[in-house]
Amino acid sequence: MAVEHFEVVIVGAGLSGIGAAYHLQTECPGKSFAILEGRDAIGGTWDLFRYPGIRSDSDMYTLGYRFKPWVQAKAIADGPSIRTYVRETAAENGIDRHIRFRHQVKRAAWSSADARWTVEAEVGPEKQLARFTCNFLFMCSGYYDYAAGHDPDFAGRESFAGKIVHPQFWPNDLDYKGKKVVVIGSGATAVTLVPEMARDAAHVTMLQRSPTYVVSRPAEDAMANWLRARLPSKLAYAITRWRNVLFGMFFFNLARKNPDKTKERLIDMVRQELGPDYDVTTHFTPRYNPWDQRLCLVPDSDLFRAIKEDRASVVTDQIERFTPKGILLKSGRELEADIIVTATGLKLQLLSGLQVSVDGVAKNMSKTMSYKGMMYSDVPNLASSFGYTNASWTLKCDLTCEYVCRLINYMDRKGYQIATPARDPHVEEMPWLDFSSGYVQRARDVLPKQGATKPWRLYQNYALDLVALRYGAVDDGTMQFAKAHPVAVPVAPERLAAE
Ligand SMILES: Cc1cc2nc3c(=O)[nH]c(=O)nc-3n(C[C@H](O)[C@H](O)[C@H](O)COP(=O)(O)OP(=O)(O)OC[C@H]3O[C@@H](n4cnc5c(N)ncnc54)[C@H](O)[C@@H]3O)c2cc1C
């Protein structure tokens, strides 16, 4: 089998992978690279999800790349516009030429003797094996399973006479005009779907086990649009981006310092939207503090308007079982439905389930400690792109890409071929994400750990990361540098089992 070599292999052509390629081309000019993409398209999340109303829930001034201004009027953008933005970035910078579509990466084996990864991908529906080698592997494969969403096994599911749909696999031809729809869930997807489907459906019920914080913001940012009309677009974008970053950090810190006050204020805002007669306590008062889970943003109060106009309603209860006509609730009430949408979430996955081995020993990546939120203890020359939980994904991705480029350039300058974050056994382990959301809790066993101290600590703070990743020393005492060197191959087969 012919094996192609690239200095860098990027896995994934979503927002992160295209951003990674841009940084690499710009900050490490001349490095050969390829993007291996499992699907047939650029855009990742923004190409996969096709449910009605699909949109961002953070503003595009921070979800957009630092290097490419978002110039559309809407700050909360729809999925197709974001997909176009990512594709445009790839086309404008000649990145699309480097993408190998339908290459689903399955395994990566590191050899210290060669200072290289051997990456194996299955190509096309026949799953033909393709092999690549690279000096640095950059995983931009997102954070969830593309093949399956989280779909709880509701009792009586098969008895339901209507259609059951998961938002990750939306049927193109689903006709919900004039139909009764129940959307199970209370997260970002549910609050997007409910008002959108309520435009045409007979009625949409959002069925939630427990409430989420829901905040309304204008879809268009008047100040950003004002600035863009008067200033060069790059300058206007930079100002708005920084304003939004600082506001986001301020609000997050306020919520963490004064949870009770913030909670009161957020719930008050919902009360103002829905009026004094609406049962905000039952349906919009979460049991947790703000930012223990991600806040749900709705543009221009669309969810609240749909509720006020009686096109949509919220039911807070638990599911006993599905019935032929709909859903029987624990309270004894039955919700009738023609269509049930299970907006029950994503199945988190680390590095898209990649099988990793280092010098012949299989690595269980969930047992590693994450270094600066992007590399993994005792795993050389591998980084991954993961965004913030309390701010836009791309803020962290841009910084991650900058750091990876600095690391590669540093190794070139010093004549090193290997960079490994060395695990310090004295650093206390902590969960990687401190979110109480169901999808994070369900994935505790597949996610790596973070450490209690720098550089193993995840601060979820753009300003701190900016200083550490853009300006901090690459040779920080934890990152160990080396030239290619032979390592004894393990002899006992049991060593091949995950460490
Ligand atoms: C519905 C939805 C809405 C969201 N809204 C927001 C938001 O408003 N703000 C925000 O900050 N974040 C949001 N997110 C998080 C969102 O995923 C990120 O914003 C961002 O799109 C992630 O980009 P990515 O390129 O890292 O990953 P993805 O978009 O998941 O792209 C990963 C790419 O890698 C490919 N891939 C994966 N594994 C392999 C493999 N083994 N081999 C080859 N290719 C592979 C996939 O096919 C895909 O193309 C949202 C997520 C969802 C699901």
Side-chain angles (χ1 to χ4, degrees):
M1 184 196 303
V3 179
E4 275 185 274
H5 179 75
F6 296 96
E7 283 163 293
V8 181
V9 163
I10 296 168
V11 178
L15 205 41
S16 300
I18 301 301
Y22 176 88
H23 281 278
L24 197 64
Q25 282 189 166
T26 317
E27 288 144 47
C28 306
K31 286 266 165 222
S32 61
F33 74 93
I35 302 179
L36 304 181
E37 166 55 56
R39 300 177 68 244
D40 218 352
I42 295 175
T45 297
W46 303 105
D47 184 69
L48 176 76
F49 279 82
R50 299 292 177 120
Y51 59 75
I54 169 81
R55 57 162 173 80
S56 68
D57 64 351
S58 44
D59 69 274
M60 287 307 298
Y61 304 104
T62 53
L63 188 58
Y65 301 114
R66 184 163 81 106
F67 55 83
K68 181 173 164 67
W70 176 257
V71 292
Q72 297 204 18
K74 279 198 170 174
I76 307 298
D78 58 73
S81 308
I82 305 174
R83 185 167 68 231
T84 303
Y85 173 82
V86 182
R87 286 186 183 167
E88 238 173 53
T89 309
E92 281 166 6
N93 297 285
I95 292 166
D96 42 5
R97 291 197 301 269
H98 296 264
I99 306 174
R100 309 286 176 96
F101 290 107
R102 295 175 295 281
H103 279 60
Q104 185 69 27
V105 174
K106 293 287 181 182
R107 286 167 289 278
W110 170 258
S111 157
S112 296
D114 304 321
R116 279 183 180 190
W117 286 100
T118 300
V119 176
E120 283 184 358
E122 290 176 354
V123 185
E126 299 82 27
K127 303 192 172 180
Q128 235 173 9
L129 198 67
R131 203 167 274 157
F132 302 85
T133 54
C134 62
N135 306 98
F136 201 97
L137 181 58
F138 198 174
M139 296 296 295
C140 295
S141 49
Y143 63 103
Y144 59 86
D145 190 345
Y146 268 64
H150 173 63
D151 218 351
D153 196 12
F154 296 113
R157 191 183 170 110
E158 34 344 293
S159 70
F160 177 59
K163 277 204 167 114
I164 302 175
V165 177
H166 192 286
Q168 195 167 327
F169 308 99
W170 198 266
N172 276 337
D173 57 352
L174 185 74
D175 180 13
Y176 53 88
K177 202 167 181 189
K179 303 266 169 67
K180 282 175 279 182
V181 180
V182 173
V183 177
I184 303 173
S186 59
T189 302
V191 303
T192 301
L193 269 170
V194 169
E196 184 62 29
M197 293 184 85
R199 292 178 204 279
D200 295 318
H203 189 83
V204 183
T205 306
M206 182 165 107
L207 171 59
Q208 58 179 12
R209 196 165 39 184
S210 58
T212 304
Y213 289 102
V214 182
V215 183
S216 174
R217 269 178 68 186
E220 290 196 15
D221 181 331
M223 187 183 149
N225 290 341
W226 187 87
L227 284 172
R228 202 175 50 251
R230 284 156 183 83
L231 296 175
S233 68
K234 277 201 167 161
L235 179 61
Y237 182 61
I239 295 172
T240 307
R241 190 174 163 88
W242 264 110
R243 184 206 57 183
N244 289 3
V245 163
L246 294 174
F247 176 76
M249 282 170 32
F250 170 76
F251 178 65
F252 177 77
N253 288 329
L254 190 76
R256 280 284 151 105
K257 280 199 186 115
N258 287 309
D260 293 338
K261 271 225 166 85
T262 311
K263 185 171 183 167
E264 210 175 287
R265 176 82 191 108
L266 290 175
I267 291 161
D268 234 37
M269 282 159 64
V270 178
R271 235 177 231 123
Q272 280 166 26
E273 294 272 3
L274 292 173
D277 298 333
Y278 191 86
D279 186 0
V280 170
T281 309
T282 303
H283 303 307
F284 286 99
T285 307
R287 298 179 202 137
Y288 56 87
N289 283 331
W291 280 119
D292 283 352
Q293 298 185 16
R294 224 179 144 103
L295 261 60
C296 275
L297 189 140
V298 296
D300 297 330
S301 307
D302 62 358
L303 175 70
F304 302 127
R305 271 189 286 122
I307 294 172
K308 276 196 292 193
E309 290 162 13
D310 210 19
R311 292 180 285 118
S313 51
V314 182
V315 171
T316 307
D317 206 324
Q318 287 192 48
I319 295 173
E320 178 67 33
R321 62 184 154 81
F322 283 22
T323 65
K325 283 196 294 183
I327 300 176
L328 180 67
L329 302 171
K330 287 247 154 83
S331 63
R333 181 175 169 192
E334 187 170 1
L335 294 177
E336 285 194 10
D338 303 307
I339 299 171
I340 296 174
V341 180
T342 52
T344 40
L346 305 165
K347 209 163 128 195
L348 258 57
Q349 209 178 31
L350 179 63
L351 306 178
S352 77
L354 184 76
Q355 288 175 37
V356 178
S357 69
V358 173
D359 291 322
V361 179
K363 268 268 167 214
N364 181 342
M365 298 300 285
S366 69
K367 299 249 165 76
T368 63
M369 189 175 271
S370 147
Y371 171 85
K372 295 185 192 284
M374 67 172 87
M375 291 181 76
Y376 300 85
S377 56
D378 303 328
V379 180
N381 294 23
L382 183 150
S384 65
S385 168
F386 199 94
Y388 290 119
T389 51
N390 61 358
S392 283
W393 185 267
T394 319
L395 290 172
K396 178 70 186 278
C397 291
D398 267 341
L399 291 177
T400 299
C401 296
E402 284 183 42
Y403 176 83
V404 166
C405 291
R406 287 181 66 211
L407 179 66
I408 290 173
N409 288 337
Y410 178 86
M411 289 201 285
D412 282 354
R413 269 200 317 276
K414 300 277 178 182
Y416 295 126
Q417 285 125 22
I418 305 177
T420 315
R423 175 85 177 247
D424 177 348
H426 303 294
V427 175
E428 187 197 333
E429 268 187 8
M430 291 166 55
W432 197 41
L433 299 177
D434 69 342
F435 252 21
S436 62
S437 316
Y439 68 101
V440 173
Q441 293 306 317
R442 283 194 300 275
R444 276 181 91 119
D445 293 342
V446 296
L447 298 176
K449 310 289 173 277
Q450 65 165 312
T453 51
K454 274 201 283 192
W456 307 100
R457 185 75 198 263
L458 263 175
Y459 289 101
Q460 303 285 358
N461 181 308
Y462 180 69
L464 287 180
D465 281 344
L466 188 143
V467 173
L469 299 178
R470 192 176 292 166
Y471 304 110
V474 172
D475 187 359
D476 61 356
T478 300
M479 186 69 84
Q480 302 298 304
F481 295 96
K483 293 183 193 287
H485 58 271
V487 169
V489 176
V491 278
E494 55 270 25
R495 278 200 62 196
L496 288 171
E499 281 180 338

